[in-house]
Structures are given as structure tokens and as C-alpha cells.
Amino acid sequence: MTIMTTGPRELLRRLRATMAETLGIQERLDKIVELISDSMHADVCSFYVLRDDGQLELFATQGLKREAVHKTTLRLGEGLVGLIASEAQPLNLADAPSHPAFAYRPETGEDPYHSFLGVPVLRSGQTLGVLDVQGREGRLYSEAETEALLTTATLLAEMVSTAEFGLLVGSGSNIELRRPRTFEAASFSDGIALGKVFIHDPRVVVTNFVAEDVDAETQRLERAVRTMRMSIDDMFNQRDMQARSEHREILESYRMFAHDRGWLRRLREAVASGLTAEAAVERVQNDTRARMMRQTDPYIRDRLHDLDDLANRLLRVLTGDTKVFGRHELPENAILVARNMGPAELLEYDRTKLKGVALEEGGMTAHVAIVARSLGIAVMGQADNITSICETGDSIILDAQTGTIHLRPTEDVEATYADKVRLSAKRQERFAALKDKPSVTLDGVAITLLHNSGLLADLPAIEETGASGIGLFRTELQFMIASKLPRLAEQVELYSQAMDLAADRPIVFRLLDIGGDKVVPYLRSATEENPAMGWRSLRLGLDRPALLRTQIRALLQAANGRPLDILVPMVTDCHEFIEARQMVNVELQRLHNSAIAVPSKLRVGAMIEVPSLLFELDQLLPLTDFVSIGSNDLVQFLTAADRANARVARRYDAIAPSRLRAFKHIADAAKRHEKPLTMCGELAGRPIEALALMAVGIERLSMAASSVGQIKELVLSLDLMQLRSQLAEALDNDSGNLDIREFLYALADRQGLPL
């Protein structure tokens, strides 16, 4: 039974007129709830706003006691209103008091009301508040009434998002969307960055919500959908889409969303309710995002980025906003803010102006995080809802040291961080002055400091740091940022340029390490329950020998008579290394037969990152020319703790006694067999961890370029042999309660080391 005295379109027209009147915010809200109550023949209409503290505050009402406004609050999840806010779903009840979630608030005077219809007020899939109607008569509200309330909620969402709304007098709720905000986020790299927000793929702002002519809006929607579909179809005509069946499958799934009948039907229904085509797209995407964000299925959540992009494409067609942000438009000291982005998208920006990246999603091992760290850019992730709250041009501070993001910081906070940055700059000047000094400890032990790299863009940093060479060049980054499998000639060019930039310094090329968390779309495989221990790295290469042989061939050709070091990743037993080395030998002989210049010196090494190798080092090391430790994987396998899972990653210390004993076991074996050993993981670039590694006998450390100066300063201040003897004694006498960090900090303090 529908009791609306006016249709949804008439209600929208009346609401639009109210929005255009010169009224204060509270007066406008009061008039809006009065209009809704009248149009829907409801005894009550109330509007609640979700505050930052998780409380839903009654902001306006028609039918409940006015003195309850700005006094009545409900926690998120409490009562019917709290339930709607937490689940982001409408709730329609014939007898509200009988619902188990019903929460009675005597100050509102809602005793006689039974029927209840509430809808979430959403923006970018995030709940901003709840709009509800109530009636004395016990009945369910009709679909038309539900649709009318949902449509009205779309208008309220934009109203709540304005700066003017935050000035609501007497609210006492401190709601101000433009006020300073602080986000707890995950740090994906070290450092502090101050700058201005630059939204990556910014949300199209909808300004016209109410349709003047519904038929005309429907036609606009249909034309825009056709245009958008044509633009997606055009992608298939691009050269790199031809004959790439696996890559085309990804775009096919994207095109499938664009042709989804259910999606188009919901858009048409939203327009029919009286919204403009733009407002309809925003309304449907808000609802879709709210549902998908609450899904636990990772596949469904991964599709959210596709749907967001699709909705934004359609909005750009409708609004004529086809502007593309080019490199020249990036402001100085820019900090990119995005829900998520790929590494290729990051590399499109002018890195001379880019200071940091803040993501709503992402993880430490996300491709964009890996690339950003490689470029020395501060990057943080898992900053919930940041893209919906900030705007391009806002001041922002990324503090990757504490895991905090400050949006629109106050003057005193900004001044504090400006001082920190100045101090950091002075430290960098101090480190720069050390670049030409030999990296030797006070007691004469030479420590070799090297870079980890993966992009040509970060190789010139070797001149600035004075590092001895490139200890790890991650060749997979080229594969991860490409839209298709790099051809032989493309790989040869990359590796040759890398050697040119390294000049006379050594550079170690790690063979393709993909799979697991390093997803390459055109080499997709079946979903695995435990990808970190699945079909990845060397296993993938040995199963697809053409892929591995092509890369080895490219490396050998790129050397063109120069020395070449090849590192074989994720070796699990001697047989795998022998098989990989045989591939290298076959390709080397092939060059000889073709009269092509071969490397003047070829060394093939193994990466130790699987615990099984710890028990056959005496068999493996004679087969190798050098070895490297991949601490990221080795530690996660030793501790059975997924490093990408924050809940368990915090439960272990990478340099706890058991892990240090494993490192020492490798170092002792390498020394026994006279094989160079390098630590290539994240640990090498952190002072206290680097101290521990040197103390157990590892004298070659490869790290991010930004860490070299700090570690060199530590080396130059260190009496290493004294440290080694003290740590060895502590490990030998450990009864299970040795706090290794406390022990190392105490030793460092006695030596006056700069940690």
C-alpha cells in the first residue's frame, strides 16, 4: 500500500526549491524533513549524521520532540538507525519496536510509532548518516516510497559534504569536513613527506541532481552508455591487444561490467525516480560500493576498483569532463592520494615533483608500493576513506615513521613536521659528505654497501650515495608494469641500459621472481590458497622454460662482453639450481655458436630464502659463484607468518635469536666455502637490523638508496669485532629470554653508535 500524497519527482522538485532558498543549514534541514514527512504521509521524518566518534546524532526531525535534536545519539550498530548505518542497507519494518535491534530513547517521544523505513545516506560508499520515516500505523512502506527516500538521501549526502554544513550552529558535534583529520595508516616505506594533495583519477563532482525532464535524462544516459562502451571497444583495437588472449580476457571482464543489464536497469530506475543521469550514476555506484566493501570474498572486492572506474568514466562522458591530468600539471611537492593504483600509473607522473603516495587500499607488497619504495617516495596505505574526505590542493603530511597521515594539519603540527624535514635534510647532507669515504669499521672490517633496484629511474642514485654497486636488480618490475610480455629486444634494451648506468660497478640481475603477491595479469594462473608457497618464481620459470630462457638470453646479449652476475631466486634444493644453471650454459653456448659477444666474466648465484636450503648449504655452495639472502621470504617461512598479514606480521621479530642463528649459519657456511654473501632484504637498510646482520658475519648489505648514508655512518662508527664476540656469547648463553633489540641498543649505546 502506497500512501505518498506526491510522487518522488514532485518531492524532488520541492526539495530542489528548498535547497535554492536563502536559509541557514538548520532551517533548511528542518524544512527538508517536514517536506519528506508531508509528501510520504509519515508521522515522523528524522535525519541522523554519523560523527567521527562513531556516534549518530539526531540533526533534524519532524514528529519527534524538537528538544532531542543534537542531544539524542546512537552508537554505530546501536538501534535501528545504528544498524542501517553499519550495514549501509535500507530497513523496512511494519512493527519497529519488535525488532531485536530497536533501541528506545524516551527523550524523543517515539512511543506510539510502529512502521519504520530507514535508508543510509552514502557518499563514495561511505555512510554519512541515516534518513528515516515512521508512522503510527503498522505497515510496510512500498517500493516507490523506499525509492523516494533513497533518492532524497542522495541529495542529503551532497549537502552533508559541504563546508557550510560544518558550521551548523549549536550542534556541539564538531562535524566539519574541512577540519584537520588524522588517519592511522600502514607504512610501506620510511620517511616524512609534506605537500599538497593531488587526487589520482579524481571523483567527478555532480552538481545537478534533480531532473527537469526525465525522458531527456533517460536519453542522455543511454547516449552516454553507448559512448562509454564504444571507448572500451576501441581499446581492443590497440596494437598491444592483438593476439594477447590472456590480457584480452581481463579487458573482456571489464567490458562485461559495461554491458551488465542489471547495472543499466538500476541506472534507468534511478533516473525514473527524478534524478539526473549524473546523479543516477552516483546513486547506483554509492549503493554498489557500500555492498561490495562489506564483502569478505577477495575476488568481489577486487572488482570494486573496476566498477569505480566504470562509473567515473560514465560520469566524465555525461559531464563532458574529459580532462586528462598530464605531467606538467602536477604541482610542486605533490602527494598522490588514490583508492588504489597500478605501478604504470605511478610512473606516468613527474617524479621530480612527487613527494609521496597515500592509498585507501594496498599492502606492503602491492606493486605500486614496491615501485614507490624503489623510487625513494614515501608511501602509505590502508588509510580508510581518505579519498572521500580530501580534495586536490589540501595540505597533507605523510609520517611513515609513526604510521600517521595528517590531512589539513594545524599550523603547529605543520611547523613541527617542517622542523623534522629540515633536520632530515641536514642528516642527508651529513650522509652525502660520507659518500666517497671507504665503508670500513673502526677496527678495519670492510663492509660492502649496495643498492636494491628494479627501475632505470633509480639507478642514477648510485652516484649520490657512493654505493659499491647494485646488489639486487629486480627484473620482475619490468614485467609487472607492462601490458604484455616484454619481448627479447625490449629486455635486452632494459638490461643494457641498466649496465650502462651502473658503469664499472657490479650489478646483480635476479631472474624473474613473479607469482604469489607479484601478479602479472598476462601470466595469470589458477587461484591458490597459499600463493606465497605456490607456483611462483623459479618454479614458474622451470615449468615455463621458454620464458626463463628468453630472459637469460636477453641478459647474456645485454652484457655484450661485459661482466654479468645472474641470481637465481627461490631455490628450494640443489637440483633446481643445477637445472637453472644448465639453462644458462645452453644459452651461453648458443651465443658462442652465433658468434655473438659473450660476458667477459659470468657468475651465477643462488638466493637463499627457503629454509630447506639451510640443511644443504655444503652441497649447494660449491655449485654457486655467490649467494644472497632474501630476508623477506626467509623470515616469513621460518616463522610461518605471512608478512602481508598485519595481524601475524607483528607477532615476530626478524632479528630474534632464532632468526639470527639462521643468518649466522648461512654466513659461516659461505665463509667456509669462500663464497661472497649478500643480504638483500629489507633488513639491511635498518640500522639496528644492519647492526645485527654485521654482528653475525654478513659483510655485504644491499638496501634502498635512501638507506645507504645512514648505514655507512653506522659502519664508520663501529667496533665490529667487539660487537661480534659479545653477541656470540649472548646467543650461546641464551636460555630463551634474550631480548635481542634491548641487547643491541645497549651495546650501541656503549659504543656511541648513531642509530
Side-chain angles (χ1 to χ4, degrees):
M1 178 177 63
T2 302
I3 308 183
M4 285 191 69
T5 57
T6 59
R9 297 181 193 173
E10 177 61 27
L11 172 58
L12 279 180
R13 278 193 284 271
R14 293 171 65 181
L15 286 170
R16 181 178 61 184
T18 300
M19 300 288 275
E21 291 181 33
T22 306
L23 299 170
I25 291 291
Q26 185 66 60
E27 191 178 0
R28 183 174 294 142
L29 279 178
D30 292 341
K31 195 164 184 179
I32 287 172
V33 295
E34 184 180 345
L35 274 175
I36 297 170
S37 177
D38 179 59
S39 298
M40 296 187 64
H41 200 66
D43 296 305
V44 173
C45 178
S46 302
F47 176 47
Y48 294 79
V49 172
L50 181 61
R51 304 189 321 211
D52 280 349
D53 60 4
Q55 296 283 333
L56 286 147
E57 179 180 322
L58 179 62
F59 258 58
T61 186
Q62 171 67 25
L64 299 182
K65 292 180 179 179
R66 290 296 179 91
E67 53 267 31
V69 172
H70 299 309
K71 293 182 180 178
T72 293
T73 60
L74 293 160
R75 294 188 306 277
L76 192 65
E78 180 187 15
L80 303 178
V81 169
L83 181 65
I84 294 167
S86 64
E87 296 187 353
Q89 292 288 332
L91 188 61
N92 190 355
L93 302 170
D95 185 25
S98 66
H99 192 282
F102 181 80
Y104 178 63
R105 288 290 185 271
E107 72 274 12
T108 64
E110 60 183 343
D111 304 62
Y113 305 114
H114 293 274
S115 61
F116 176 92
L117 172 63
V119 299
V121 177
L122 301 170
R123 186 172 185 261
S124 299
Q126 301 289 335
T127 301
L128 300 183
V130 173
L131 179 65
D132 71 50
V133 291
Q134 296 172 262
R136 288 182 173 83
E137 180 185 352
R139 70 177 183 92
L140 288 175
Y141 287 88
S142 68
E143 288 185 12
E145 289 169 315
T146 303
E147 187 67 26
L149 208 60
L150 283 166
T151 301
T152 306
T154 301
L155 270 68
L156 283 173
E158 293 306 309
M159 182 178 172
V160 172
S161 301
T162 63
E164 184 186 6
F165 188 84
L167 302 178
L168 184 53
V169 177
S171 72
S173 60
N174 196 28
I175 292 179
E176 164 60 277
L177 297 183
R178 304 295 303 157
R179 75 177 189 281
R181 296 280 187 131
T182 300
F183 297 86
E184 298 300 319
S187 299
F188 299 156
S189 69
D190 292 331
I192 296 173
L194 283 75
K196 299 292 184 181
V197 168
F198 190 86
I199 303 288
H200 171 70
D201 194 16
R203 169 181 175 268
V204 176
V205 178
V206 177
T207 57
N208 185 18
F209 286 85
V210 182
E212 294 282 358
D213 184 335
V214 170
D215 291 337
E217 291 299 318
T218 301
Q219 292 175 17
R220 286 184 65 233
L221 176 66
E222 301 291 348
R223 285 196 301 270
V225 169
R226 285 196 297 271
T227 300
M228 181 195 67
R229 287 173 173 173
M230 287 173 61
S231 71
I232 295 172
D233 290 341
D234 286 344
M235 294 183 194
F236 284 87
N237 298 323
Q238 295 177 8
R239 185 174 61 182
D240 65 352
M241 286 294 165
Q242 305 305 309
R244 302 290 334 152
S245 59
E246 290 184 346
H247 196 48
R248 283 175 66 91
E249 283 178 14
I250 298 170
L251 196 56
E252 283 285 7
S253 66
Y254 186 69
R255 183 162 64 175
M256 179 186 69
F257 284 125
H259 288 264
D260 183 74
R261 292 182 180 179
W263 184 58
L264 185 57
R265 174 181 52 78
R266 290 192 293 275
L267 291 174
R268 288 169 177 157
E269 288 174 351
V271 170
S273 73
L275 291 175
T276 61
E278 296 94 322
V281 174
E282 179 145 308
R283 152 84 184 280
V284 170
Q285 186 56 17
N286 266 334
D287 294 344
T288 303
R289 171 165 263 274
R291 287 196 304 273
M292 294 181 73
M293 285 171 66
R294 288 160 176 80
Q295 294 291 324
T296 56
D297 187 331
Y299 177 81
I300 293 177
R301 290 181 64 90
D302 286 347
R303 302 285 68 76
L304 180 57
H305 185 62
D306 291 341
L307 287 169
D308 279 337
D309 183 57
L310 202 62
N312 226 23
R313 282 177 181 266
L314 187 52
L315 283 172
R316 291 190 185 283
V317 175
L318 285 165
T319 60
D321 182 6
T322 57
K323 182 180 180 182
V324 178
F325 292 95
R327 286 176 173 234
H328 62 283
E329 294 185 78
L330 197 64
E332 295 291 337
N333 299 321
I335 293 180
L336 283 182
V337 177
R339 284 203 179 105
N340 216 333
M341 64 189 304
E345 294 173 296
L346 176 63
L347 292 172
E348 289 174 358
Y349 286 97
D350 184 349
R351 293 186 292 280
T352 64
K353 297 181 177 180
L354 189 58
K355 298 300 180 185
V357 178
L359 304 172
E360 275 193 16
E361 301 165 5
M364 173 70 79
T365 54
H367 308 160
V368 68
I370 293 170
V371 172
R373 283 201 301 274
S374 182
L375 295 173
I377 297 170
V379 56
M380 300 179 70
Q382 299 167 24
D384 292 342
N385 202 30
I386 191 170
T387 57
S388 300
I389 293 173
C390 68
E391 296 178 4
T392 291
D394 282 344
S395 296
I396 189 171
I397 298 171
L398 305 187
D399 185 348
Q401 296 173 354
T402 63
T404 307
I405 298 176
H406 300 275
L407 178 64
R408 295 184 290 272
T410 59
E411 289 185 6
D412 57 334
V413 169
E414 197 158 8
T416 298
Y417 275 97
D419 288 341
K420 285 186 178 182
V421 169
R422 279 192 289 272
L423 286 172
S424 178
K426 288 181 180 178
R427 289 178 71 217
Q428 293 304 321
E429 289 176 7
R430 193 170 76 240
F431 297 154
L434 303 176
K435 74 170 188 173
D436 295 325
K437 287 192 174 184
S439 182
V440 180
T441 65
L442 292 176
D443 51 344
V445 181
I447 303 295
T448 304
L449 301 181
L450 305 155
H451 281 195
N452 290 334
S453 183
L455 297 167
L456 295 178
D458 60 5
L459 286 176
I462 198 169
E463 297 291 344
E464 301 169 15
T465 65
S468 299
I470 307 298
L472 177 67
F473 188 89
R474 303 182 180 96
T475 61
E476 64 271 8
L477 290 186
Q478 182 192 27
F479 289 75
M480 289 162 58
I481 65 178
S483 61
K484 58 186 177 63
L485 184 68
R487 295 172 297 177
L488 174 66
E490 293 170 331
Q491 293 187 51
V492 170
E493 182 181 6
L494 173 76
Y495 305 145
S496 179
Q497 288 183 42
M499 291 182 188
D500 291 343
L501 289 168
D504 57 347
R505 296 180 179 89
I507 177 169
V508 177
F509 292 94
R510 182 173 68 185
L511 293 178
L512 194 58
D513 184 12
I514 56 174
D517 59 340
K518 299 171 186 172
V519 179
V520 177
Y522 46 83
L523 291 176
R524 289 186 304 161
S525 59
T527 302
E528 297 177 301
E529 287 189 12
N530 198 336
M533 293 191 285
W535 195 57
R536 54 170 289 208
S537 198
L538 181 59
R539 296 167 182 171
L540 188 154
L542 293 176
D543 287 348
R544 290 197 172 182
L547 180 68
L548 192 55
R549 281 201 303 267
T550 299
Q551 186 183 30
I552 292 170
R553 189 178 307 163
L555 285 165
L556 293 170
Q557 289 185 23
N560 193 28
R562 292 175 286 192
L564 175 65
D565 289 348
I566 294 176
L567 180 61
V568 182
M570 204 176 174
V571 178
T572 59
D573 58 40
C574 290
H575 178 73
E576 286 183 343
F577 181 76
I578 293 170
E579 193 174 349
R581 185 144 198 170
Q582 285 174 343
M583 280 192 185
V584 175
N585 293 336
V586 168
E587 291 301 324
L588 187 64
Q589 186 61 48
R590 188 174 177 276
L591 288 187
H592 273 298
N593 296 341
S594 303
I596 298 174
V598 298
S600 59
K601 182 179 181 181
L602 175 63
R603 301 194 316 156
V604 182
M607 197 157 201
I608 300 173
E609 47 193 339
V610 179
S612 60
L613 276 187
L614 300 183
F615 303 97
E616 55 180 33
L617 290 173
D618 289 331
Q619 291 72 40
L620 174 72
L621 288 170
L623 305 173
T624 67
D625 297 311
F626 64 96
V627 286
S628 298
I629 298 175
S631 65
N632 293 350
D633 271 334
L634 182 58
V635 171
Q636 82 163 338
F637 292 145
L638 282 170
T639 56
D642 181 1
R643 57 191 165 102
N645 184 337
R647 300 179 79 176
V648 297
R650 296 191 187 99
R651 293 185 62 84
Y652 73 85
D653 187 342
I655 59 168
S658 63
R659 271 69 90 188
L660 283 185
R661 290 188 185 101
F663 296 149
K664 188 175 187 304
H665 176 65
I666 299 169
D668 290 346
K671 185 176 182 180
R672 192 165 60 248
H673 290 274
E674 299 181 336
K675 301 293 181 177
L677 168 66
T678 304
M679 170 62 76
C680 294
E682 301 278 348
L683 300 184
R686 302 173 191 156
I688 198 69
E689 284 86 347
L691 193 65
L693 296 174
M694 289 185 284
V696 295
I698 300 175
E699 298 174 0
R700 295 172 58 86
L701 305 175
S702 191
M703 64 202 72
S706 58
S707 300
V708 172
Q710 185 175 17
I711 301 303
K712 179 177 277 192
E713 185 181 55
L714 173 64
V715 169
L716 297 175
S717 308
L718 174 64
D719 184 333
L720 182 56
M721 301 314 293
Q722 182 187 60
L723 177 69
R724 280 184 180 168
S725 64
Q726 290 173 326
L727 179 62
E729 182 181 355
L731 289 174
D732 289 343
N733 297 327
D734 177 28
S735 59
N737 60 354
L738 174 62
D739 186 326
I740 200 69
R741 288 183 182 273
E742 183 178 315
F743 177 81
L744 288 171
Y745 275 116
L747 292 182
D749 186 57
R750 285 199 289 273
Q751 287 199 23
L753 299 179
L755 295 180

